[in-house]
Amino acid sequence: MSDGLPWHRIQFAFSITYHYLFPQLTMGLALLILVIKFLALRTGEESYNEVARFWARIFALNFAMGVVTGIPLEFQFGTNWARFSNFAGEIVGHTLAMEGIFAFFLESSFLGLFLYGEKRMSPQRHFATAFALFLGSWLSGYFIIVTNAFMQHPVGYSLGEDGRLHLANLMEYLLNPWALWQYAHNMMASVVTASFVVAAVGAYWSLLGANARHAWICLKVGIIAGAISILLVAFPTGDQQGKMLSEKQPVTLAAMEGLFEGGPYAELAIIGQPNVAELKLENPIVVPGVLSFLAYGTFGSKVKGLNDYPQDQWPDNVELLYYSYHIMVGLGTLLTLVMGVASFLLWQGRLLQTRAMLWVLMLSFPFPYIATTAGWWTAELGRQPWIIHGLMRTADAGSLKVNPGDVVFTLLGFAGLYLLLGLLFVINVLKEINRGPVALK
């Protein structure tokens, strides 16, 4: 099966990368819609309701794309990763089923009520549907993160005589400490994505001179939520996830930083190119001691390097892991700067007069998507060569009876279909943005 394994990995990586473009926006938008509905309830101003309805339509388009692109992933557990499913299906099947049965139905049902039931509800009840939509969306994210966290840090299981994993403690599985910080970090990142999208649309309308009141609401909500969430992405959620990584997967931390030689006062690499053949980081710009401090809380703490581990325990693509991590961190730093300047201008009351900042906000929205995708790649590449850390290697997890040619064929099929769906999605979103918020009929 070794010939087919790379194609299984490429197909799953492509499918999940494309799929995650949509849920990361819906999860963040669910919170922002709830905030806007709260402002509508508090102020009684109809403009807030009109903005909430507009974003709910964008939410619905993303939700539909998320469902369509998420279903093939469930099937790929069986078609591409049959031995993994046979080994761990009893564990991960629980949260995948919970995501479908509880979270998906909660989210989809209340999305329909939010979109089409407003005229029949009081403002308070319509706000309650927004809360249920938020709850379903964030529960969905939690169940998926718990599934992934088990693969990163397996807990609550037993190994049966049949050679399969069995669920020994449901609560230990659901409250996996890896999942808690990963979930917090992931959800804050989704709010960052949504905040930049909301602010970008507000900036677009402002530059056109259209929908003035609605544009101002989008800018205000997007910038304030973006500034708060991007700080929370770094501290404490990112910081604590890094500390957890240094404890549970120290070889991954070394690969992410391109650290070959370990020791005290370990350096944080700002830039550089890992040369795995010569076991060094080329052209590095580093900050001494900072990696030791971030990992263990003191500058003199010893951090193990890649050379402290056998090479068969290293992540199998150190270069891609290193660059994914640094793209995430680099873009995160730039986005923090953008939101910081925008917040200052908002506070000073000069945002609408600073058209250059409006252009920056409008053009910045793709970068949180890139940063979040790089973050997911960092997590998944860092776990290699394990599909379940310490229990099952990725090389032993693929399906033996699926022809590699079939995987290539379906991969091309997915690519063509997703291209078509993506074009239709962009056309419809642009139509909605140009249509703008509308009054309730």
Side-chain angles (χ1 to χ4, degrees):
M1 194 56 231
S2 58
D3 290 339
L5 184 63
W7 290 110
H8 288 308
R9 295 183 67 180
I10 290 170
Q11 185 177 88
F12 196 79
F14 169 75
S15 302
I16 200 165
T17 297
Y18 190 86
H19 166 71
Y20 193 60
L21 295 174
F22 305 102
Q24 66 174 294
L25 182 62
T26 56
M27 290 187 294
L29 265 185
L31 178 61
L32 297 191
I33 289 172
L34 185 66
V35 169
I36 294 168
K37 285 297 294 183
F38 173 77
L39 294 171
L41 203 59
R42 186 167 174 267
T43 63
E45 187 181 330
E46 184 58 18
S47 298
Y48 285 107
N49 281 321
E50 291 166 356
V51 171
R53 279 180 225 122
F54 166 78
W55 285 112
R57 297 202 305 270
I58 302 296
F59 182 105
L61 288 169
N62 275 268
F63 180 75
M65 287 292 289
V67 172
V68 168
T69 57
I71 290 173
L73 290 169
E74 303 273 354
F75 286 109
Q76 285 178 27
F77 283 117
T79 55
N80 298 60
W81 305 103
R83 285 187 290 172
F84 163 75
S85 297
N86 185 53
F87 181 61
E90 182 182 320
I91 307 285
V92 300
H94 278 81
T95 35
L96 292 177
M98 287 179 184
E99 196 270 341
I101 295 171
F102 301 134
F104 173 74
F105 279 104
L106 184 64
E107 190 177 9
S108 55
S109 300
F110 281 92
L111 175 59
L113 280 174
F114 187 88
L115 284 170
Y116 303 111
E118 186 172 0
K119 285 194 293 187
R120 297 175 180 272
M121 295 182 203
S122 66
Q124 291 78 11
R125 287 187 176 180
H126 198 240
F127 174 78
T129 63
F131 179 77
L133 179 65
F134 159 76
L135 185 64
S137 180
W138 281 47
L139 264 180
S140 177
Y142 187 71
F143 289 133
I144 296 301
I145 291 289
V146 167
T147 307
N148 184 266
F150 179 79
M151 298 163 71
Q152 299 280 358
H153 177 60
V155 296
Y157 71 92
S158 63
L159 182 60
E161 293 180 356
D162 55 2
R164 299 175 181 176
L165 297 181
H166 300 280
L167 187 62
N169 188 322
L170 178 62
M171 292 312 296
E172 189 179 0
Y173 172 61
L174 291 176
L175 299 177
N176 186 340
W178 189 289
L180 300 180
W181 282 116
Q182 185 181 0
Y183 178 68
H185 186 64
N186 186 83
M187 299 315 285
M188 286 303 100
S190 72
V191 177
V192 170
T193 300
S195 298
F196 269 89
V197 170
V198 169
V201 172
Y204 173 69
W205 286 337
S206 296
L207 288 167
L208 287 179
N211 309 313
R213 179 58 184 161
H214 306 113
W216 176 245
I217 291 171
C218 290
L219 283 168
K220 187 171 64 174
V221 171
I223 291 171
I224 293 174
I228 295 171
S229 57
I230 206 163
L231 291 177
L232 292 175
V233 164
F235 299 99
T237 64
D239 177 61
Q240 288 300 316
Q241 195 168 354
K243 286 181 167 56
M244 191 169 55
L245 192 69
S246 65
E247 178 187 350
K248 308 293 185 188
Q249 294 182 16
V251 65
T252 301
L253 179 69
M256 286 163 56
E257 290 290 346
L259 184 73
F260 289 92
E261 292 296 334
Y265 303 100
E267 303 160 336
L268 183 77
I270 305 299
I271 60 172
Q273 302 88 49
N275 186 331
V276 176
E278 297 185 13
L279 303 177
K280 66 179 183 180
L281 188 68
E282 294 182 337
N283 308 310
I285 296 178
V286 298
V287 184
V290 172
L291 181 58
S292 290
F293 180 79
L294 291 176
Y296 298 108
T298 63
F299 290 102
S301 298
K302 181 180 179 181
V303 179
K304 289 186 175 180
L306 284 167
N307 292 338
D308 292 314
Y309 301 91
Q311 288 208 8
D312 67 349
Q313 293 183 18
W314 293 14
D316 50 22
N317 197 326
V318 172
E319 296 92 340
L320 189 56
L321 170 60
Y322 171 89
Y323 288 120
S324 296
Y325 171 67
H326 281 76
I327 288 171
M328 176 188 71
V329 173
L331 285 178
T333 304
L334 289 175
L335 294 173
T336 303
L337 181 63
V338 169
M339 275 302 174
V341 174
S343 300
F344 177 75
L345 291 172
L346 182 70
W347 175 59
Q348 290 280 303
R350 294 191 286 128
L351 179 66
L352 294 180
Q353 291 75 41
T354 313
R355 291 180 68 83
M357 190 68 236
L358 294 177
W359 275 99
V360 170
L361 284 172
M362 187 182 73
L363 298 175
S364 293
F365 80 90
F367 296 104
Y369 284 101
I370 299 171
T372 308
T373 300
W376 264 111
W377 282 28
T378 301
E380 296 305 286
L381 289 164
R383 192 185 63 239
Q384 302 303 321
W386 303 97
I387 195 166
I388 304 176
H389 195 264
L391 295 178
M392 185 181 211
R393 287 182 177 263
T394 305
D396 300 322
S399 301
L400 292 173
K401 296 184 178 179
V402 178
N403 189 308
D406 293 340
V407 183
V408 176
F409 178 76
T410 53
L411 174 60
L412 293 173
F414 282 134
L417 179 62
Y418 286 0
L419 176 62
L420 178 62
L421 288 174
L423 288 172
L424 292 173
F425 169 77
V426 170
I427 290 170
N428 279 291
V429 167
L430 291 177
K431 279 184 178 177
E432 289 294 340
I433 291 173
N434 287 321
R435 179 185 174 201
V438 292
L440 184 65
K441 297 178 181 177

